[in-house]
Amino acid sequence: MIGALLILCCAVGAELGGPFIIKTIIDKHLTEGPGELAPVLWLLAAYMGLLLVAGAGNFTQSYLLQSTALQIIKNMRMDLMRHIQRIPLNYFDNTPIGQIVSRIANDTEAVRDLFMSFMATFVVSFVQLLGIFTALFILDVRLAMFCLLLPPLFALIMYVHLKYSKGYIAVMRARLSDMNAMINESIAVMPIIQAFRREKKTIEEFESLNEDRYANQIKQFRVFSLSSRNIVGTIGSLVTALVIWYFGRASLETSIMFGVFYAFIDYLGRIFQPIIGIFDQLTNAQRAFVSAEKVFAIMDMDGKEVEDASGAKRPEGVVKFDNVTFAYKKGENVLKGISFEARRGETIALVGHTGSGKSSIMNLLLGFYEPNEGAITIDGADIAGMSKQELRKHMGIVLQDPYLFAGDIKFNVSLYNKNISIEQVKSALKDVGAAPFVEQLPSGYDEQVVERGSTLSSGQRQLISFARALAFDPAILILDEATASIDSETEGLIQRALKVVSEGRTTLVIAHRLSTIREADQILVLHRGEIVERGNHDELMAQGGRYFKMYQLQKGEKAAPEAAKEIKNA
């Protein structure tokens, strides 16, 4: 940056030296007559040389400033992306995805404008004003002292401009984030929007956001139009008229060299160009400041480092919850005194109505949240003392709504893990019963899958998701209602595969289909955040309690209506 400033000063100095050279030419022509051309030619050559230096300096200065700005923003964008990986999961639960995308893409780009436009303009303008006022003092001290009143006046105008336009720009950036969030949500749920004929309502909501952004942009432009070129041009014209009057009056009293008059008017006119340049970039600067506030608000959030877990020892898989209590919001406990133990090779099933706390138990085990009371241990070690990467290295998870990334089948199973070979990928797909349909695809294991896997059926996506979990050979396997969207035939395939893959592993299953957990070693029945029953299938059926009634309800037996009523009233 120091080199850029030196080049900048040379370029500006070369540019500002022009009027002095022209003044000298005029004065020599008036004093020595038209016959002395040699000195004039030397001065013209010097002027041309200065112009070439100014051109080279401007190019170098612009290149250095912009390349530096691009480097800064590239690093900022990467720092933001890395920090997002460290932020707790609850931030993403409460923040629309589109807003986060807007922070990384749009807001960092706006910060780039601060360096590439405003900073370059501000530095150039400052050096130009410094040189101009130096020249003015050399030409006429009294008038130069009067011109010193201009910078404070323009600074006051800029302050008023910034004060009134900042609020408008903040609303504009907020609406842009809201629009991005809405676009992202609309695309993700487009089938629902069209199925329920919500197209017009969605457009109206988007139009409302767009109209609000437009209205604030118009207000901001109105402030800009009143306080930028308009007022600077008016003040510039008045000051120029005053200077002409001053020199005209002085010419009646004393003789004034015409070169001095020309140079002073030229430099005076140059004062207003850098001021206008700064005004023109104020909007970019304010947009950058507002965007920077949003970016640094994320960067300032507490997060945990993504640590290297390559040397993490594979656990036996003994999972223990000891009197665990947890609340997403203070005072609203979703888990109350949860205690259970799952040993290696055991399958533990969690059942209960929606909101009973099943998924919360899994979220705590995966380290997405921290318990308010109690402890969770793996092989006797409290997971609170482990890094998240070490904790999750030997865990596999399959969700109810499987997500496939854009890429081929084998990538979606291995996720480019170098330790998973193509043979292991094929073996995992075979174990879960997915190999037959994958091999029938046109490109087989190299078949491209669009984002979210929309070209495959729900059952096929779920099978690939199962294969992904198995390929990583987890010590602890978590199935979060993983069979909810699978047909009976596919369910049978997965049930057979699970008997093989769960051997030697600790498996925790959240299930709504009670038929899928009949072989579980232990079934925990949750109700309002508490374990109200526990045991295997036969033991719970013999108790005739909540699990018995839930099973009857799903099997459609005669007592189902009464069971449903009892469960509802419980």
Side-chain angles (χ1 to χ4, degrees):
M1 288 302 290
I2 295 176
L5 289 176
L6 290 175
I7 294 170
L8 173 64
C9 291
C10 293
V12 173
E15 183 179 350
L16 294 179
F20 266 117
I21 292 175
I22 295 176
K23 166 188 174 295
T24 305
I25 292 174
I26 294 173
D27 290 344
K28 289 180 70 66
H29 180 77
L30 292 175
T31 56
E32 300 179 8
E36 298 293 332
L37 289 178
V40 173
L41 292 176
W42 279 110
L43 288 171
L44 286 174
Y47 184 45
M48 294 297 293
L50 287 174
L51 290 179
L52 291 176
V53 172
N58 283 328
F59 167 78
T60 307
Q61 166 255 326
S62 178
Y63 176 78
L64 289 177
L65 282 176
Q66 295 200 33
S67 60
T68 302
L70 290 173
Q71 183 69 32
I72 291 172
I73 298 308
K74 185 192 77 170
N75 294 339
M76 178 183 289
R77 190 175 286 123
M78 287 307 304
D79 290 342
L80 185 59
M81 190 65 186
R82 291 190 188 98
H83 190 66
I84 282 178
Q85 315 301 320
R86 309 183 187 111
I87 296 176
L89 193 65
N90 58 359
Y91 171 75
F92 302 98
D93 291 341
N94 302 318
T95 307
I97 295 175
Q99 287 189 10
I100 302 174
V101 173
S102 183
R103 299 291 175 268
I104 299 174
N106 298 334
D107 289 333
T108 53
E109 199 68 17
V111 175
R112 179 181 67 88
D113 292 337
L114 175 66
F115 292 96
M116 295 186 66
S117 301
F118 180 76
M119 290 300 293
T121 302
F122 182 81
V123 173
V124 170
S125 299
F126 179 78
V127 175
Q128 283 181 334
L129 288 173
L130 189 63
I132 289 169
F133 275 101
T134 301
L136 290 177
F137 271 96
I138 294 173
L139 293 170
D140 191 291
V141 175
R142 286 182 299 173
L143 201 54
M145 290 290 290
F146 172 75
C147 291
L148 281 178
L149 296 174
L150 292 176
L153 176 61
F154 289 130
L156 178 62
I157 297 171
M158 288 181 187
Y159 172 78
V160 174
H161 170 94
L162 293 172
K163 179 180 180 181
Y164 283 96
S165 63
K166 182 179 180 180
Y168 300 136
I169 292 178
V171 174
M172 287 161 52
R173 301 303 298 179
R175 292 298 168 268
L176 180 62
S177 296
D178 294 340
M179 290 162 64
N180 285 336
M182 185 175 180
I183 291 171
N184 182 82
E185 181 184 67
S186 298
I187 294 174
V189 298
M190 188 59 71
I192 303 298
I193 291 175
Q194 294 184 359
F196 287 89
R197 304 177 304 282
R198 291 274 300 176
E199 296 93 341
K200 289 185 178 180
K201 188 64 177 177
T202 302
I203 293 173
E204 289 174 2
E205 291 174 0
F206 185 83
E207 185 178 13
S208 176
L209 294 175
N210 197 26
E211 185 65 29
D212 190 27
R213 186 176 190 275
Y214 169 78
N216 281 275
Q217 196 163 25
I218 290 295
K219 293 175 183 177
Q220 193 274 329
F221 280 149
R222 189 179 298 133
V223 173
F224 174 78
S225 299
L226 289 172
S227 60
S228 59
R229 290 177 178 268
N230 184 23
I231 197 165
V232 173
T234 302
I235 293 174
S237 299
L238 292 174
V239 172
T240 303
L242 180 62
V243 170
I244 294 174
W245 172 81
Y246 173 82
F247 275 105
R249 183 175 59 84
S251 66
L252 297 176
E253 300 172 357
T254 60
S255 59
I256 292 180
M257 298 299 292
F258 182 73
V260 175
F261 176 68
Y262 166 80
F264 201 98
I265 291 296
D266 185 90
Y267 280 119
L268 184 62
R270 289 169 180 255
I271 288 179
F272 305 104
Q273 294 306 314
I275 298 296
I276 290 175
I278 293 176
F279 265 111
D280 287 345
Q281 294 300 327
L282 280 181
T283 300
N284 289 337
Q286 281 195 302
R287 187 184 301 118
F289 288 134
V290 172
S291 299
E293 288 178 1
K294 296 180 181 297
V295 170
F296 288 118
I298 296 178
M299 295 295 292
D300 290 339
M301 295 179 64
D302 293 332
K304 294 189 176 180
E305 290 295 326
V306 178
E307 300 179 10
D308 182 15
S310 57
K313 182 181 178 182
R314 182 184 176 89
E316 289 293 319
V318 180
V319 177
K320 184 177 181 180
F321 277 62
D322 185 10
N323 198 32
V324 171
T325 297
F326 171 69
Y328 292 101
K329 295 181 180 180
K330 188 175 181 180
E332 300 179 11
N333 291 336
V334 294
L335 295 177
K336 308 167 188 174
I338 300 296
S339 297
F340 68 88
E341 183 175 1
R343 298 188 175 277
R344 179 183 177 183
E346 288 186 346
T347 298
I348 305 298
L350 305 175
V351 301
H353 61 78
T354 300
S356 59
K358 304 184 299 297
S359 295
S360 297
I361 290 177
M362 299 305 187
N363 287 336
L364 292 176
L365 178 59
L366 286 163
F368 292 146
Y369 301 92
E370 302 294 335
N372 302 111
E373 298 177 14
I376 304 172
T377 61
I378 296 179
D379 294 351
D382 195 329
I383 66 172
M386 304 179 187
S387 71
K388 302 307 179 185
Q389 289 66 45
E390 179 185 1
L391 172 64
R392 298 164 189 159
K393 178 175 175 59
H394 297 290
M395 286 188 183
I397 183 170
V398 181
L399 301 174
Q400 178 181 1
D401 186 16
Y403 189 94
L404 299 187
F405 299 90
D408 55 31
I409 298 290
K410 63 179 185 292
F411 157 70
N412 270 284
V413 175
S414 68
L415 298 182
Y416 289 145
N417 188 319
K418 296 180 180 179
N419 297 323
I420 301 177
S421 64
I422 183 62
E423 289 74 19
Q424 290 174 296
V425 170
K426 292 180 178 179
S427 176
L429 288 167
K430 181 179 179 181
D431 287 342
V432 301
F437 89 81
V438 171
E439 292 172 354
Q440 290 177 3
L441 296 172
S443 300
Y445 297 96
D446 297 318
E447 180 74 12
Q448 292 294 315
V449 179
V450 299
E451 187 178 346
R452 298 189 304 274
S454 57
T455 56
L456 301 174
S457 69
S458 297
Q460 290 172 335
R461 292 198 300 270
Q462 195 65 280
L463 287 173
I464 293 174
S465 183
F466 263 94
R468 177 194 299 162
L470 299 179
F472 280 79
D473 190 25
I476 301 171
L477 182 62
I478 298 173
L479 308 178
D480 190 352
E481 302 185 37
T483 59
S485 59
I486 293 177
D487 56 65
S488 300
E489 182 179 353
T490 305
E491 180 184 332
L493 291 173
I494 292 178
Q495 287 294 98
R496 289 193 294 271
L498 283 178
K499 290 181 181 179
V500 177
V501 300
S502 62
E503 185 176 352
R505 293 186 177 89
T506 304
T507 306
L508 288 90
V509 184
I510 293 178
H512 279 166
R513 287 186 182 181
L514 302 185
S515 60
T516 62
I517 57 169
R518 292 188 57 168
E519 303 299 324
D521 296 287
Q522 186 176 186
I523 300 172
L524 306 178
V525 183
L526 286 99
H527 180 61
R528 295 179 181 175
E530 298 179 290
I531 299 176
V532 293
E533 296 177 12
R534 66 179 72 207
N536 59 34
H537 173 76
D538 293 333
E539 291 171 349
L540 293 176
M541 290 297 290
Q543 291 178 17
R546 174 176 284 278
Y547 179 83
F548 173 78
K549 296 180 176 68
M550 291 170 63
Y551 193 83
Q552 282 185 317
L553 183 62
Q554 289 194 8
K555 294 294 289 184
E557 297 179 3
K558 292 182 179 180
E562 291 77 6
K565 185 176 180 181
E566 290 183 24
I567 292 174
K568 183 177 180 181
N569 294 332

